[in-house]
Amino acid sequence: MSVELSSLEQKQLEKMRRLREQGVDPYPPRAERTHTSRQAIAAFEAAEKDGEPAVPVVATLAGRLRAIRPMGKITFAHIEDGDGKIQLFLRANDLGAEQLAFFNHQFDLGDFIQASGEMFRTRTGELTLKVTAFRLLAKAITPLPAAKDEVVDGQVVRHALLSDPETRYRQRYADLAVNSEVRDLFRKRAAILRSLREFLDGQGFLEVETPILQPIYGGAAAQPFVTHHNQLHQDLYLRISFELYLKRLLVGGLERVYEIGRDFRNEGVSFKHNPEFTQLEFYCAYFDYLKVMELTEQMICYVADHVLGQRTVVYQGREINFAPPWRRVELRQGILETAGIDIAQAPTRNDLANAMEAKGIHPKPGATRGKLIDQLLGDHLEPTLIQPTFLYNYPRDISPLAKSKLDDPQTVERFEGYVAGFELCNAFTELNDPVDQEARFLEMGRDYDARDEERHPMDEDYLRAMRYGMPPNGGFGMGVDRLTMLLTDSPNIREVLLFPHLRNREDE
RNA sequence: GGCCCACUAGCUCAAUGGUAGAGCAGUUGACUCUUAAUCAAUUGGUUGAGCGUUCGAGCCGCUCGUGGGUCACCA
């Protein structure tokens, strides 16, 4: 092995080799399991009458050794499998002293074993397997981080649990192995994804898959990752959004489409940003942003109902209620109330910058009017949006793919959903006018510095698609990781990613 | 990228600038209903890396690394 092993690991490696010399395969290819821990307990309870089963419940269990308590001529142990933990009871009377000593000395915490016998109740009432045969399934070389559970008044108290975030994220396998609530969190994440699909499928949406490697990136303002196809001599970008491909599908006659997948943005990392993250986008022909708002409320409630069984959740100490209708706040009004500036009274970039200066707010140098509005939103309004809120009607120049309002061409029909002080989703009445769209692309190129990597590249094929005719439609995008944070009360996006992005370590 | 904090045994944590410790895990032994089993004994350290200050550094200073927080960035 290339890495240096600790003395404990070297001892275990030596133990494993000795077992092999004794004819014990430390990694046999097959296991026999008749019951999971839960199934064995359920089978006993079903057969049970007055504390005794009518017929013996014989089971072979398999799992990881989590506790061994030798007591002379008997030994208690716990193994953990996918369903939970179950106790084993081994007796010299049943197994012979030699077998019991083998179990006590050759098996270690973390090993996978299988054990056969009859289910019974101990004097304390715990359903337990009385073991008549056992076998090693996989030897552990590295000791699991010590974590013991103590039950106090029905509550499980963890001792010396693995808590160092770096180890937990870098060695997620160890984190999962010893922290059962981490396993539960990722089961919940899977349930969230399943519920989102169920809801959208039920609404007649078609799940599709579009390219991750794209010759032209677009649909969002973000720096892309660049890669290269060797044989084609072609630079490619990892997608920063699905938007432009999904809307091409509306041109093709698919009226309701959605995609759940990975987006990649080459930007800073933070408690709510990971370089790759899971995005949900859907597009719905003949919907506008108001209908998308209602669909959003229904969808989030559907997920909450199915995953949590309720529509409220406590996030970082504050109760959040997802029940519709969510508060609706016009962006102009929200900024007026929190920053004291009426953006409608500041029609140009300089007007707005002056208004901000007058309030003691330093406008970002070089920012467009839209970016200044975004600054006011992020600094003043966003932190106040704890309960689910739709902010709506956004400035045109930060929304190049959204349709303008009929009575106000400088404002677009767009909303963002905010919960717990951060952005959860983003949606608009999609721009389907190819002439206006081309003008927007050109505007973006003008307004942004030519070196600004976030400027929107022109996508000629997208414009061609739109010229074939795109039905009016409402589009929606949501960070699934952030929804998962909310529903699992996780303060950090890394908690809801199995393998969050971390810097390389020199020693690895 | 800036600033702040952290990094000590496998895990969780101690240690006035003066001999690096505890609990759990490990090892050895006792124990036939235990469950953080208990009891007795015991192994285990390049204190993140390097350089410096000092008679003497886990502790003070500098550089670097990693992580966390925060700001910047992120429609």
Side-chain angles (χ1 to χ4, degrees), chain A residues 329-384:
Chain A
V329 177
E330 194 164 21
L331 180 62
R332 172 191 168 192
Q333 191 64 28
I335 289 177
L336 180 61
E337 284 169 11
T338 54
I341 292 172
D342 186 352
I343 56 175
Q345 300 299 315
T348 70
R349 187 233 170 250
N350 286 341
D351 293 338
L352 186 54
N354 291 336
M356 289 168 72
E357 297 276 14
K359 289 280 175 189
I361 303 166
H362 297 296
K364 276 180 207 158
T368 60
R369 177 172 178 273
K371 287 242 174 187
L372 291 179
I373 291 172
D374 198 45
Q375 180 188 348
L376 290 170
L377 161 60
D379 290 352
H380 296 85
L381 181 52
E382 180 171 350
T384 71

Side-chain angles (χ1 to χ4, degrees), chain A residues 186-211:
Chain A
F186 286 102
R187 289 195 182 99
K188 204 178 263 187
R189 182 181 169 118
I192 290 167
L193 286 162
R194 202 180 311 125
S195 297
L196 288 168
R197 288 194 164 94
E198 274 173 13
F199 175 81
L200 290 167
D201 292 346
Q203 296 287 323
F205 281 83
L206 182 72
E207 180 171 10
V208 298
E209 292 173 286
T210 61

